């Protein structure tokens, strides 16, 4: 099976507004696909439809050869779709370790049955993202960058086969961005397929095998990094917006 | 991130103390609790009737607070429908014993079945609502149930039912104790099981929990049914003990409010908090009623308001976090909650 994810004709309307219109995209197994586009382009909405947070109004979604359309989010998590949220959704009153343990306890294939093993798995993921010393803290006591790291660790603890990353680098400084880029590469080397949404161009260029661009809810181009970033339509989408 | 104050709590430290010392503390704690239960079980043989009566009432309330703790404290759904489960449990026993002359335990099973089944159906319907909407919806249902039962012939209409008299306070006491212990052990299990962690995740961020693989609907409905089970059984014991029930008396929303106050006062989402809350608040109410008769409920209200202002996360949190500079804890609470 070449493609881990095949979305075809996905459309999402919010009342009058068409947030995503007729978008088709494939993600190959083991690749990192970059998803870029100006704010409000529909990137988060697209990811929401992939992991089941939102249901599309039209279109189909095939994950590892089976249609997952209509499956609730938790079932898609069991199939191996993990994600992070741009607007993070930690469990504020739980410790950092327990936050990640939930991913290990309930993630892919329904997760670990034993709390001890789940904690071990969670601890590894937290150490991996650099939160090894914060495991006993409450999640709501973490600062901004650490919250982003926790969001990533929670998704990793699910042992996903497909990882959807929604702006995990927003608000990080240069050094931190470098670290996350290296982390994401290592995750891919474990054989996990990844979709990254990012505004940090450096991250997109150094990570992505391919890039696709959303603008006003529609896919405008798809291709290698170099091609896409030179495409006049992409330049216009970005510069046209920036000049305003 | 600010959340409704009621459901906030600190989870147990993730590890406990590692190694032999941790195990020793845990063993010591377990022994202390076992001794406390044994002492409580022996109470009818040492104490007088007034004390035993008070004990029955406290133990039933502790069970109710613990039942509410499962859905309200752990899962984060502030139920006002628990008084319905209580009423169904009470009517299960009353109908079985009065209308069909069946033994008490069959009535308990009937009440349990009614309460749990009702919680399952209700849960599927209303557990998709959040926060206030859920609270209001369950509250409305409690009122509807009163009206329905008042018109059921088998339940004695609005006159109610008179149960056979059993003069054995000791039996009622031990039953109530057994049920309270069972409820507390269940909550203890919740606090350290995969299932319980799933419930806490739902409380802390339901959408996040679902995305990480928690089957939120299933977990919530099971939690609601578990909550209903203990509540219905408490209602059944109450009915046989009090020997007379009517719809207004057992589908009483005020009782639901009491469960919430006791659980929140003790510490929602903790293991022993609701039990301690039930004991302290019942004792306070008892003393105030004896001393002040008329103004008792006024003072009781003041006690609760003061408690909520100074320790909004309940006694369980207070005990764990008060530290050496005691007054500091209270001042900090007042400050952080901007009261
Ligand atoms: N729940 C929602 N209700 C209404 N409109 C929404 C909702 N979510 C997103 N939108 C709108 O859909 C469009 C795409 O949003 P989004 O997917 O968040 O964009 P991006 O992630 O690319 O910045 C925006 O115009 C946004 O305002
Ligand atoms: Mg977005």
């Amino acid at each position: 099976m070449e493609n881990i994810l095949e979305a075809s004709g996905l459309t999402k309307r919010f009342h009058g507004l068409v947030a995503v219109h007729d978008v088709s995209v494939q993600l190959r197994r083991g690749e990192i696909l970059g998803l870029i586009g100006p704010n409000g382009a529909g990137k988060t909405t697209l990811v929401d439809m992939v992991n089941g947070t939102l249901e599309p109004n039209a279109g189909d979604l095939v994950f590892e050869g089976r249609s997952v359309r209509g499956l609730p989010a938790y079932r898609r998590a069991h199939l191996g779709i993990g994600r992070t949220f741009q607007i993070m959704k930690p469990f504020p009153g739980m410790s950092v370790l327990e936050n990640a343990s939930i991913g290990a306890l309930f993630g892919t294939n329904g997760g670990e049955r034993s709390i001890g093993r789940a904690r071990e798995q969670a601890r590894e993921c937290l150490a991996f993202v650099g939160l090894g010393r914060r495991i006993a803290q409450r999640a709501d006591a973490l600062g901004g960058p650490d919250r982003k790291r926790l969001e990533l660790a929670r998704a990793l603890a699910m042992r996903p086969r497909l990882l959807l990353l929604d702006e995990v680098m927003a608000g990080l400084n240069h050094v931190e961005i470098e670290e996350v880029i290296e982390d994401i590469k290592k995750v891919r080397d474990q054989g996990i397929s990844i979709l990254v949404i990012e505004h940090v161009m450096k991250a997109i260029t150094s990570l992505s095998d391919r890039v696709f661009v959303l603008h006003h809810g529609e896919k405008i181009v798809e291709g290698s990094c170099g091609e896409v970033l030179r495409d006049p339509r992409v330049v216009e989408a970005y510069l046209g917006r920036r000049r305003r | 991130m600010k959340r409704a104050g009621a459901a906030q709590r600190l989870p147990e430290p993730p590890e406990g103390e590692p190694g032999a010392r941790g195990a020793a503390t845990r063993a010591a704690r377990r022994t202390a609790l076992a001794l406390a239960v044994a002492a409580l079980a022996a109470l009818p043989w040492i104490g007088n009737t007034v004390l035993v009566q008070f004990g029955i009432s406290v133990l039933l309330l502790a069970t109710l607070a613990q039942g509410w703790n499962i859905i309200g404290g752990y899962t984060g759904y502030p139920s006002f429908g628990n008084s319905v489960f209580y009423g169904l449990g009470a009517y299960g026993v009353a109908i079985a014993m009065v209308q069909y002359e069946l033994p008490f335990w069959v009535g308990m099973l009937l009440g349990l079945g009614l309460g749990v089944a009702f919680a399952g159906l209700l849960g599927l319907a209303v557990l998709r609502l959040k926060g206030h909407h859920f609270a209001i919806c369950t509250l409305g249902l409690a009122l509807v149930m009163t009206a329905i039962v008042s018109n059921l012939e088998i339940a004695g209409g609005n006159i109610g039912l008179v149960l056979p008299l059993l003069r054995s306070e000791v039996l009622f006491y031990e039953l109530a104790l057994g049920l309270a212990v069972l409820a507390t052990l269940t909550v203890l299990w919740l606090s350290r099981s995969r299932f319980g962690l799933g419930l806490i995740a739902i409380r802390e961020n339901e959408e996040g929990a679902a995305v990480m693989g928690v089957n939120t609907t299933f977990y919530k409905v099971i939690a609601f049914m578990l909550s209903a089970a203990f509540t219905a059984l408490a209602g059944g014991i109450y009915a046989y003990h009090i020997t007379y029930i009517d719809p207004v008396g057992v589908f009483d929303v005020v009782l639901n409010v009491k469960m919430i106050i006791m659980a929140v006062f003790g510490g929602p989402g903790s293991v022993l908090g609701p039990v301690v809350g039930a004991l302290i608040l019942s004792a306070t109410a008892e003393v105030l009623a004896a001393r002040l008769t008329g103004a008792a409920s006024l003072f009781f209200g003041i006690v609760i308001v003061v408690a909520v202002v100074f320790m909004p996360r309940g006694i369980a949190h207070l005990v764990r976090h008060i530290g050496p500079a005691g007054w500091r804890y209270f001042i900090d609470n007042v400050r952080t909650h901007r009261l």
Side-chain angles (χ1 to χ4, degrees):
Chain A
M1 204 190 322
E2 239 242 300
N3 292 330
I4 187 163
L5 181 77
E6 295 177 6
S8 44
L10 287 183
T11 297
K12 182 68 194 178
R13 287 184 289 271
F14 295 111
H15 309 291
L17 179 94
V18 185
V20 172
H21 181 244
D22 195 19
V23 169
S24 301
V25 62
Q26 289 85 39
L27 196 90
R28 297 184 193 129
R29 191 175 291 282
E31 90 170 330
I32 298 182
L33 178 65
L35 168 52
I36 60 173
N39 278 324
K43 304 181 296 294
T44 299
T45 306
L46 185 64
V47 164
D48 283 348
M49 289 189 280
V50 173
N51 93 301
T53 304
L54 288 177
E55 263 314 301
N57 297 107
D60 198 14
L61 197 68
V62 174
F63 177 70
E64 300 207 305
R66 63 174 281 197
S67 174
V68 293
R69 189 155 172 209
L71 282 191
Y74 81 90
R75 291 279 303 280
R76 299 191 203 190
H78 293 179
L79 290 176
I81 303 180
R83 79 168 285 184
T84 67
F85 283 92
Q86 180 181 1
I87 298 168
M88 294 164 280
K89 298 188 188 297
F91 306 123
M94 285 182 164
S95 71
V96 167
L97 180 61
E98 276 177 325
N99 261 270
S101 300
I102 296 294
L105 275 174
F106 296 95
T108 304
N109 295 329
E112 270 291 345
R113 301 290 130 171
S114 131
I115 293 193
R117 278 201 303 273
R119 285 218 170 108
E120 212 38 61
Q121 196 172 312
R123 207 185 303 255
E124 277 167 29
C125 295
L126 289 164
F128 176 76
V129 302
L131 279 179
R133 296 187 180 182
R134 299 246 182 277
I135 57 170
Q137 258 174 8
R138 264 173 71 119
D140 57 2
L142 293 181
D146 279 343
R147 283 189 191 206
K148 285 281 180 191
R149 291 191 179 104
L150 176 60
E151 190 73 14
L152 180 59
R154 294 191 334 153
L156 287 175
M158 291 167 65
R159 299 246 162 107
R161 284 199 266 279
L162 168 64
L163 183 60
L164 312 163
L165 300 175
D166 195 353
E167 301 200 17
V168 279
M169 298 177 204
L172 300 189
N173 65 31
H174 287 295
V175 181
E176 291 161 345
I177 286 175
E178 285 299 333
E179 287 168 5
V180 177
I181 289 176
E182 288 314 306
D183 288 349
I184 294 175
K185 282 183 181 160
K186 281 184 213 152
V187 171
R188 189 259 304 273
D189 292 343
Q190 290 168 21
I192 298 173
S193 316
I194 301 174
L195 179 80
V196 246
I197 298 179
E198 208 50 71
H199 282 306
V200 181
M201 273 310 151
K202 171 150 195 314
I204 291 291
T205 50
S206 62
L207 284 173
S208 313
D209 300 308
R210 286 184 309 134
V211 178
F212 91 101
V213 187
L214 272 185
H215 187 41
H216 295 319
E218 301 194 26
K219 179 158 89 175
I220 53 175
V221 258
E222 177 177 353
S224 77
C225 260
E227 280 163 31
V228 163
L229 295 180
R230 277 193 305 275
D231 192 291
R233 286 165 298 181
V234 176
V235 176
E236 197 197 308
Y238 272 88
L239 294 186
R241 214 185 144 82
R242 260 187 218 151
R243 264 193 216 130
R244 267 196 273 156
Chain B
M1 197 176 281
K2 269 248 156 194
R3 296 169 20 75
Q8 248 173 23
R9 64 139 211 163
L10 269 183
E12 303 278 332
E15 311 302 298
E17 304 95 290
R21 243 192 81 213
T25 332
R26 236 174 297 138
R29 211 182 289 163
R30 212 172 292 161
T31 319
L33 279 179
L35 284 176
V37 171
L40 282 175
L43 186 116
W45 284 276
I46 355 173
N48 56 18
T49 358
V50 178
L51 197 61
V52 172
Q53 286 285 351
F54 176 71
I56 294 171
S57 152
V58 171
L59 288 167
L60 288 179
L61 284 171
T63 304
L64 296 180
Q66 205 63 284
W68 190 88
N69 191 25
I70 295 173
I71 188 70
Y74 273 80
T75 321
Y77 277 76
S79 166
F80 279 86
N82 278 32
S83 52
V84 174
F85 310 142
Y86 184 79
L88 289 173
Y91 268 99
V93 165
I95 290 171
M97 294 183 77
V98 177
Q99 310 288 30
Y100 300 102
E101 295 179 2
L102 293 165
F104 170 64
W105 67 266
V106 178
M108 287 288 271
L109 286 183
L110 178 63
L112 178 70
L114 284 174
V116 171
F118 189 70
L121 293 174
L122 177 64
L124 282 173
V126 302
L127 278 168
R128 66 191 71 201
L129 303 173
K130 304 248 158 79
H132 305 122
H133 299 281
F134 174 78
I136 290 167
C137 203
T138 48
L139 180 62
L141 217 111
L143 303 176
V144 170
M145 279 308 283
T146 320
I148 291 177
V149 174
S150 303
N151 288 296
L152 281 184
E153 214 170 293
I154 195 172
N158 53 16
I159 298 164
L161 293 170
V162 179
L163 287 86
L165 185 64
L166 176 69
R167 290 215 139 276
S168 172
E169 296 304 293
V170 177
L171 177 69
F172 287 118
Y173 177 89
E174 301 296 348
L175 270 176
L177 177 64
L179 187 59
V181 168
L182 192 63
T184 304
L185 287 177
T186 305
V187 171
L188 178 69
W189 168 75
L190 280 186
S191 73
R192 53 195 56 188
S193 65
R194 182 172 177 270
F195 182 76
L197 276 172
L199 296 184
I200 297 173
I202 289 172
R203 179 190 78 204
E204 294 290 315
N205 189 328
E206 187 160 345
E207 200 185 358
V211 164
M212 290 170 89
V214 180
N215 183 351
T216 50
T217 309
F218 178 75
Y219 271 58
K220 288 187 290 185
V221 170
I222 297 293
F224 208 26
M225 289 165 79
L226 206 53
S227 176
F230 291 113
T231 312
L233 289 173
I237 296 176
Y238 171 81
Y240 197 18
H241 179 229
I242 206 79
T243 69
Y244 166 72
I245 61 167
D246 66 348
V248 179
V250 293
F251 290 101
D252 187 4
V253 175
V254 173
L255 181 67
N256 203 117
V257 174
K258 263 193 195 171
M259 302 174 199
I260 298 177
I261 292 175
M262 288 171 171
V264 171
F265 177 83
S270 67
V271 177
L272 286 177
V275 177
V276 176
L279 177 63
I280 292 183
L281 289 181
S282 301
T284 311
E286 202 70 15
V287 170
L288 287 176
R291 294 273 158 84
L292 297 160
T293 48
S297 44
L298 173 70
F299 277 87
F300 191 63
I302 292 175
V303 168
I304 287 167
V305 170
V306 169
V308 168
V309 168
F310 286 99
M311 30 181 257
R313 293 192 237 176
I315 294 175
H317 188 265
L318 167 84
V319 169
R320 231 177 278 144
H321 296 270
I322 188 156
W327 53 274
R328 259 252 173 77
Y329 176 87
F330 300 109
I331 305 288
D332 284 350
N333 272 333
V334 173
R335 226 178 254 151
T336 51
H337 292 264
R338 296 201 196 86
L339 287 162

